[in-house]
Amino acid sequence: MRRASNSRVVVLWAVFLLVHLLTAWLGWVYPSQPMGDVVLVYEPWATSALSGGPIVGIDETWVYPQLALVPMLIAAALSAPLVLLLGVSHAYLVGWATLVIILDAVAFGVLVGRSPSRARRVAAWFWCAAVLLLGPIALYRIDAITVPIAVIGGLWLVSRPTIGAALLTIGAWIKIWPGALVLAAVVALRARMRVLLGATVVTTGVVATLFLLGADTEIFGFLTEQTGRGLQIEAVAATPFLWLAVAGAAHIEYSFEILTFQITAPGVDAVAAALTPLMALSVLAVTVVGARKAARGATFPRLFPPLALTLVTLLIVTNKVGSPQFQTWLIASVVLWLVLDRVRARVPAVIVLALCLLTCLVYPIGYDALLRADALAVAVLTVRNVILLVLLILSIRALARVPARHPNPQE
């Protein structure tokens, strides 16, 4: 029995390594520069900080929370021995991919352990499949750093709630979305005070450090830096306007300020302005539903997974940005759901795998056609965005169906 278990673990690790190496290589092969952000944005930010230039998030307002700079600096350190051999850009790409694979391997090790349960094996297979289907974007974005942190933090919420929450908060200071998992944990976990302690300690430490380094108004600049941006073409809310672009009644334009493609058409600004308050109200409403379930005795394994996935999906659906790497947020959330409640996670898992494949078809494979407002490319993106809405509806439905130990006698 032990030998069979060991062989399963060996196979899982072999698949993990093969998938990651193949996906890393595909970044060099696929069109539309799927590794572009790493060498065109992350590497210059790291170089500026290391060479005495302006430090993003401290000397100037930044679009990311400040801890996002840390993995960029680590990647620069990992790439240093390779610069003479490969050149700065290629060496940095190798350093970045190495860092992501190492972090994923650590989280994968926490997930599968030495003798994983069936649920953990299924979650491990799902993770490997999702990375392969999503393609290079699963590795070559800052979001890839937060996925293993979120997986470890989520897995430790029950056994080590303070440490788990601290890890999730660190993830949120790299890219905001793991904050949704912290919120879900505060609602669903009985040890919520320990969750709040972990989150508070990390946040206090980060803010105090930034003050000491000379930051002031820049500390929370990531919350306001993009408030005035337009509607990115991949965003769910941009879908109707893309079809106007197909008909010639709207235009796709590149924003040099935000470094992304946005849609321009009558009514776009109003839709973009409405999305942020819609996101806030939606998150609040879902949190209230989750809190009500928790107050009535819902268990953590039943309540946390659909609540977390609903909150994360809301952050994507109501976002002015529709970046392909957002799908990695769903991967981490479903990995946790599969571990905690494998049977009920099957449908969301299949949907997320479909979303990963469709997203890869949109970017990088079909992105040039999308920028030309090609009808087929827009149709693929439309299907992807509709399935995102389906995932949101199913997540809300699963949340509504979470049973309570102490039913309200008035209902």
Side-chain angles (χ1 to χ4, degrees), residues 105 212 225 257 262 323 343 354 367 406:
L212 291 175
E225 180 68 7
E257 180 180 359
Q262 300 180 163
S323 299
V343 174
Y367 203 62
H406 313 295

Side-chain angles (χ1 to χ4, degrees), residues 357-376:
L357 175 59
L358 288 167
T359 299
C360 185
L361 293 177
V362 171
Y363 183 90
I365 293 176
Y367 203 62
D368 286 344
L370 182 64
L371 295 181
R372 298 193 303 269
D374 177 82
L376 179 59

Side-chain angles (χ1 to χ4, degrees), residues 261-296:
F261 288 93
Q262 300 180 163
I263 192 76
T264 301
V268 166
D269 291 341
V271 171
L275 286 175
T276 299
L278 176 62
M279 178 189 293
L281 291 173
S282 301
V283 168
L284 177 61
V286 169
T287 303
V288 169
V289 172
R292 191 163 178 265
K293 291 284 185 180
R296 294 173 59 190

Side-chain angles (χ1 to χ4, degrees), residues 13-29 94 97-98 101 104 131-132 136 139-140:
W13 275 107
V15 172
F16 169 89
L17 183 59
L18 178 62
V19 164
H20 277 73
L21 291 177
L22 176 60
T23 304
W25 172 75
L26 287 173
W28 301 78
V29 176
V94 173
T98 301
I101 292 173
D104 276 3
V131 169
L132 184 62
L139 303 182
Y140 294 107

